[in-house]
Amino acid sequence: MKRITTIEEYHTEYAKSVKNPEAFWAEQAADFTWRKPWKEVLEWNFEKAETKWFVGGKLNITENCLDRHLANRGNQTAILWEPNSPLEEARKISYSELHTMVCRMTNVLAQNNIKKGDRVCIYMPMVPELAVTVLACARIGAIHSVVFAGFSAKSLSDRINDSECKMLITADGGFRGNKTTPLKDIADEALLSTPSIETVLVHKRTEQNINWTEGRDKWLHSELAKVDANSVATEMDAEDPLFILYTSGSTGKPKGVVHSTAGYMVYADYTFRNVFQYKEGETFFCTADVGWITGHSYIVYGPLLAGATSLMFEGIPTYPDAGRFWEIIDKHQVNIFYTAPTAIRSLEAAGLDFVKPYKLDSLRVLGSVGEPINEEAWEWYNHNIGKGRCPIVDTWWQTETGGILISPLAGITKTKPSFATLPLPGVQPILVDSDGKEIVGNGVEGNLCIKYPWPSIIRTTYGDHERCFTNYFATYKGLYFTGDGCKRDEDGYYRITGRVDDVLNVSGHRLGTAEIENAIDEHPLVIETAVVGYPHDIKGQGVYAYIICSGEIADEDKLKKEINETVTKIIGPIAKPDKIQLVKGLPKTRSGKIMRRILRKIAENDMANLGDTSTLLDPDVVADIVKGRV
Ligand code: WT7
């Protein structure tokens, strides 16, 4: 696959991709291993939320991630695994070893009755076996649904049930910092209400005591011992679903975003090579968890498609101390490092003493993802980690987009702190006002939409296509709506300003306000809740919950602790409110709608801009809330 190498070339390629998208993407797709070529490059209709790429093409993505590399780079490291504890040895898995592991794992799936189209849920720590199970699903044609191992039993069972997964793959436990997460115990609780699960495969990691359900539970290592390493990949249609990944929206339960095979493959590879300007033999370290889209596209699929060495880290940035990322970079001579602004800000807060012991001279490119990066964090990253010589790529994208849409090309696009800069070839952004009218020209701001499909656009929301249409294609006719606000400056550079809907971005994790409100409402003393986001120095956004309780509360601290426990139990610790304010009433319009705008201003401590409160049902509640602000 060709890589853009100059800014002039970027502009030519971009122009080509807009003038004739089909020819452009056919050219990018040519170098992969196809069992049968496609008949049509693209069929689409945004008014039905329908997109098909490489129609009629047949392939298996794992032949492109693994088999195709065996001849040239069989001995090169594919996955370089760094354990949670620096005292445990790192693992280097070559392309040929990874191929063997995936083939065996595929045979385990087959022996356990998994067939093409079945859904398999994966709830695992960040160990190589996680990547292996993901790839084995893809090889047999089962649809993987990875659930981040920080989610609660309730979140896990909801996700399993929504897509009726037949199998769960988990581990006894996971190591994170000085904690162990009892993954099997959590899974057991989830499995009390998941009738579709037939088999549970358990990877041994922590060796902690676990409960066992005979007939259902099987040790992964015993299953692997029963099979050989011969596996022929299942032939998949270009549009067969590859995976489901659940993500939060402004309403309802998290939805299962579905990505399909060929378009996702072509786009993950294209963006990996171009954005990071990946060069043969380099080591790429993405700090995300495979439980998020960033891990799917830029730990597993993108780097392996490109034949890179992908560093997978089991632990957390602050264990044993806040120098861990920098230690790993030196130890493994990392060339490209990709992390989230929230991590940068927290490591900045820990102080430069944790950075100073390390050389960081192997680094060539730095990346940022998941939330807007503020100028201050950008400068710190640039100066102290990149030593002023590594281009920073601020990559904007979403679970639904499958890959990076707006980003500099490392070392090619002139960067500007806090700007994601320019759309990648094949991506046609458009800013619209609230009526859906296009905002033309530069030096403008609006809602960010995309007007033409790119290969890894969301195909559907699992089991409910209407929801996909309503969420993304109904707000503005004929456009994909991102949910983000955006500025386009005088140079035509894009700067994402944040969500314009009721979605929060807390430490780069996406959470719906409604989802958190519903969880809090489960506490027996809670009558009503309103959740908003507010600016948080480290997390980007914090969660502020206004709660009405029944009766007099004798011990507020105890209640707040219980509310946090309730949220942890229903969603997971990432959704815990940072601030809880008990209130007597909420600002509502006469029709009963909560005026979140006012609550947001109070949470932000911006009392001068509360706006008109006279139309409220009871204007006095606002003064009370302002007085009790926490
Ligand atoms: C939302 C998507 C993209 C993978 C990780 C998050 C925000 C993402 C940026 C960025 C400003 C960003 C947006 C987007 N976001 N990257 N570089 N600058 N905002 O995926 O969980 O689906 O969240 O994250 O608000 O809509 P996600």
Side-chain angles (χ1 to χ4, degrees):
M1 185 181 272
K2 214 172 83 193
R3 180 161 56 81
I4 293 169
T5 55
T6 62
I7 193 70
E8 292 73 31
E9 208 183 329
Y10 160 76
H11 288 297
T12 340
E13 290 294 297
Y14 189 80
K16 257 169 54 183
S17 79
V18 173
K19 192 156 173 257
N20 192 344
E22 299 194 21
F24 177 83
W25 287 113
E27 191 188 327
Q28 311 312 323
D31 293 342
F32 293 89
T33 302
W34 294 87
R35 295 263 186 100
K36 268 193 210 127
W38 59 86
K39 295 196 185 79
E40 288 286 338
V41 179
L42 172 66
E43 279 174 15
W44 68 294
N45 181 356
F46 276 0
E47 283 172 34
K48 290 187 173 160
E50 275 173 14
T51 312
K52 290 180 184 160
W53 281 94
F54 309 110
V55 185
K58 305 281 178 192
L59 73 162
N60 186 289
I61 193 170
T62 69
E63 289 187 336
N64 287 285
C65 290
L66 302 169
D67 304 58
R68 137 178 104 124
H69 296 313
L70 294 179
N72 295 331
R73 51 175 75 88
N75 294 326
Q76 185 203 308
T77 304
I79 293 180
L80 172 46
W81 179 72
E82 172 69 18
N84 178 59
S85 162
L87 303 174
E88 191 180 337
E89 220 181 306
R91 280 168 73 184
K92 288 187 177 175
I93 301 168
S94 69
Y95 271 93
S96 84
E97 285 163 340
L98 184 62
H99 177 259
T100 304
M101 288 166 82
V102 171
C103 288
R104 296 185 85 98
M105 186 64 212
T106 306
N107 290 338
V108 168
L109 296 180
Q111 291 234 327
N112 283 281
N113 199 26
I114 293 298
K115 298 187 178 64
K116 179 177 170 178
D118 286 342
R119 276 79 57 212
V120 173
C121 181
I122 303 174
Y123 185 67
M124 281 182 91
M126 281 285 287
V127 291
E129 287 71 17
L130 165 54
V132 170
T133 53
V134 161
L135 292 165
C137 287
R139 195 165 182 88
I140 206 167
I143 305 169
H144 56 78
S145 167
V146 183
V147 176
F148 172 57
F151 277 122
S152 67
K154 173 85 172 77
S155 296
L156 177 59
S157 63
D158 282 351
R159 285 160 173 75
I160 290 173
N161 290 334
D162 183 76
S163 46
E164 296 174 296
C165 296
K166 213 161 129 183
M167 175 187 272
L168 174 67
I169 308 178
T170 187
D172 47 359
F175 294 122
R176 274 176 72 75
N178 51 25
K179 289 196 199 120
T180 46
T181 320
L183 295 177
K184 176 65 163 64
D185 289 355
I186 300 170
D188 282 339
E189 194 188 329
L191 289 160
L192 293 173
S193 55
T194 54
S196 57
I197 295 284
E198 292 170 6
T199 311
V200 178
L201 299 180
V202 187
H203 169 66
K204 190 177 267 187
R205 173 63 184 133
T206 55
E207 313 210 359
Q208 64 201 90
N209 285 331
I210 54 172
N211 293 317
W212 204 253
T213 302
E214 279 311 325
R216 184 196 71 183
D217 299 351
K218 297 178 180 179
W219 282 113
L220 192 49
H221 59 264
S222 324
E223 293 301 295
L224 284 165
K226 295 182 201 160
V227 296
D228 64 25
N230 301 316
S231 137
V232 177
T234 304
E235 184 169 293
M236 304 297 285
D237 189 85
E239 279 300 332
D240 277 335
L242 175 63
F243 65 85
I244 305 171
L245 189 56
Y246 286 85
T247 191
S248 299
S250 46
T251 55
K253 284 193 176 173
K255 46 190 175 284
V257 171
V258 176
H259 283 288
S260 65
T261 305
Y264 175 81
M265 171 183 82
V266 170
Y267 200 73
D269 190 9
Y270 182 80
T271 53
F272 175 74
R273 291 178 201 256
N274 280 284
V275 170
F276 301 106
Q277 289 289 301
Y278 166 73
K279 296 193 174 72
E280 189 73 38
E282 286 189 324
T283 297
F284 177 82
F285 177 14
C286 166
T287 69
D289 192 287
V290 173
W292 311 113
I293 190 70
T294 309
H296 280 61
S297 302
Y298 301 110
I299 292 178
V300 182
Y301 289 112
L304 295 181
L305 286 163
T309 297
S310 181
L311 194 150
M312 187 175 181
F313 174 42
E314 184 183 34
I316 58 171
T318 49
Y319 179 81
D321 64 43
R324 189 67 191 280
F325 279 169
W326 323 132
E327 188 241 345
I328 295 174
I329 290 171
D330 273 9
K331 176 175 170 191
H332 296 296
Q333 293 292 290
V334 170
N335 307 107
I336 310 172
F337 178 67
Y338 191 30
T339 195
T342 188
I344 299 169
R345 288 189 298 262
S346 74
L347 297 176
E348 175 183 359
L352 281 178
D353 284 351
F354 291 102
V355 184
K356 280 190 192 131
Y358 306 103
K359 286 205 180 101
L360 304 177
D361 57 353
S362 57
L363 286 174
R364 190 177 62 77
V365 172
L366 299 177
S368 170
V369 61
E371 44 172 327
I373 177 164
N374 48 309
E375 216 167 318
E376 220 258 324
W378 196 99
E379 294 295 357
W380 186 87
Y381 197 31
N382 181 36
H383 189 74
N384 298 295
I385 308 305
K387 315 286 183 194
R389 51 167 194 81
C390 301
I392 297 180
V393 288
D394 176 358
T395 64
W396 173 83
W397 56 298
Q398 311 178 296
T399 304
E400 295 86 344
T401 70
I404 299 164
L405 294 196
I406 304 183
S407 168
L409 304 181
I412 292 172
T413 315
K414 200 166 165 287
T415 55
K416 214 187 268 189
S418 80
F419 282 79
T421 74
L422 299 172
L424 298 187
V427 176
Q428 301 188 33
I430 164 172
L431 300 184
V432 298
D433 65 18
S434 44
D435 300 324
K437 222 174 114 246
E438 177 167 8
I439 302 171
V440 292
N442 289 342
V444 293
E445 182 168 3
N447 292 336
L448 177 62
C449 295
I450 315 287
K451 66 178 174 200
Y452 199 87
W454 61 97
S456 62
I457 187 173
I458 179 175
R459 296 304 197 268
T460 191
T461 44
Y462 192 85
D464 190 353
H465 191 67
E466 187 59 31
R467 193 170 178 199
C468 175
F469 174 76
T470 317
N471 257 290
Y472 307 105
F473 300 93
T475 318
Y476 305 114
K477 197 170 157 82
L479 300 175
Y480 167 82
F481 177 42
T482 65
D484 280 317
C486 182
K487 286 184 177 156
R488 186 168 50 218
D489 77 355
E490 297 302 339
D491 297 327
Y493 270 27
Y494 290 84
R495 176 192 183 146
I496 313 302
T497 51
R499 302 289 302 199
V500 294
D501 52 10
D502 289 321
V503 169
L504 305 183
N505 193 325
V506 180
S507 301
H509 300 317
R510 187 161 147 187
L511 297 163
T513 51
E515 200 186 344
I516 307 174
E517 287 164 4
N518 291 338
I520 295 174
D521 290 345
E522 290 291 310
H523 189 283
L525 291 178
V526 172
I527 294 177
E528 193 174 9
T529 309
V531 163
V532 297
Y534 70 98
H536 186 290
D537 284 349
I538 305 285
K539 296 176 160 191
Q541 266 187 315
V543 177
Y544 196 120
Y546 299 91
I547 301 178
I548 306 177
C549 286
S550 63
E552 281 301 314
I553 303 298
D555 188 344
E556 272 201 25
D557 287 342
K558 180 167 162 273
L559 176 76
K560 289 180 180 176
K561 212 171 136 243
E562 284 171 12
I563 287 171
N564 275 327
E565 282 162 8
T566 307
V567 174
T568 302
K569 207 165 157 32
I570 294 174
I571 305 175
I574 54 177
K576 275 191 305 203
D578 297 277
K579 293 186 178 184
I580 294 176
Q581 181 179 350
L582 301 185
V583 295
K584 295 232 154 46
L586 291 166
K588 287 189 179 171
T589 60
R590 293 206 169 88
S591 58
K593 202 170 162 265
I594 297 175
M595 299 277 283
R596 281 166 195 285
R597 182 180 50 81
I598 296 175
L599 294 175
R600 241 177 261 134
K601 290 290 171 199
I602 297 173
E604 286 166 14
N605 204 5
D606 184 11
M607 307 309 173
N609 290 308
L610 291 184
D612 183 13
T613 55
S614 63
T615 56
L616 292 177
L617 193 61
D618 176 7
D620 291 344
V621 295
V622 175
D624 276 349
I625 297 176
V626 169
K627 237 189 283 155
R629 185 178 174 276
V630 291

